[in-house]
Amino acid sequence: MTPDLLERIRASDPLAPARLRGVTARQQLLDLAGGTLSREETAKTLGLKRQAIERRRGAGRLLALSFGKRGYRYPACQFVDGRTVPGLERVLDALKDQDAWTQLAFFVNRRSDLNDEGPLTLLGRGEIDRVLPVARALGEHGAA
């Protein structure tokens, strides 16, 4: 974007720079997540019907990001070898009061309280006992 265009946008919408930062941050999270899958792709990945995916999403057993009229998308990082990452549902339950973008940020970002490793990495190694207390603390306090 040119500086002139940015200034015109800022004049018409004073919050435009903040909105742009939000869009950029969400794209970075999606990149860290390895992209997203549609409901149909998720059903195929897990060997389930689309209705089963909807039930799991509704029950908070799958991480799903709302894209408005385009529906829900499922971060690819939560799937490995045709199933969800071990411990995913328990961690999602601990984070149930957080919005989906906060949940995704929790899973994909390295955390100092996990020795600078990401929760998904630890879950992939079966270390749910290290991840769950951190997720519960975030769920209780809402602080990252």
Side-chain angles (χ1 to χ4, degrees), residues 28-128:
Q28 289 171 341
L29 287 175
L30 293 173
D31 291 344
L32 287 170
T36 60
L37 305 176
S38 68
R39 177 182 58 188
E40 291 75 17
E41 292 167 324
T42 300
K44 185 176 180 182
T45 296
L46 296 177
L48 300 170
K49 294 185 178 198
R50 292 181 319 190
Q51 296 83 355
I53 298 303
E54 288 299 313
R55 283 193 299 274
R56 282 187 177 199
R57 178 190 59 77
R61 296 174 48 213
L62 283 176
L63 178 54
L65 305 168
S66 175
F67 283 85
K69 292 179 183 177
R70 293 181 293 170
Y72 289 94
R73 302 284 301 179
Y74 300 83
C77 61
Q78 66 188 312
F79 308 113
V80 62
D81 299 327
R83 59 186 174 84
T84 56
V85 171
L88 178 82
E89 291 181 16
R90 290 179 62 195
V91 176
L92 284 172
D93 184 59
L95 297 172
K96 67 183 172 227
D97 293 332
Q98 303 299 315
D99 69 81
W101 288 99
T102 300
Q103 292 174 354
L104 178 60
F106 174 81
F107 281 114
V108 299
N109 286 314
R110 293 172 180 250
R111 298 184 54 90
S112 60
D113 48 5
L114 291 172
N115 295 330
D116 212 27
E117 291 189 272
L120 277 177
T121 301
L122 295 172
L123 291 176
R125 293 196 313 245
E127 297 183 41
I128 189 169

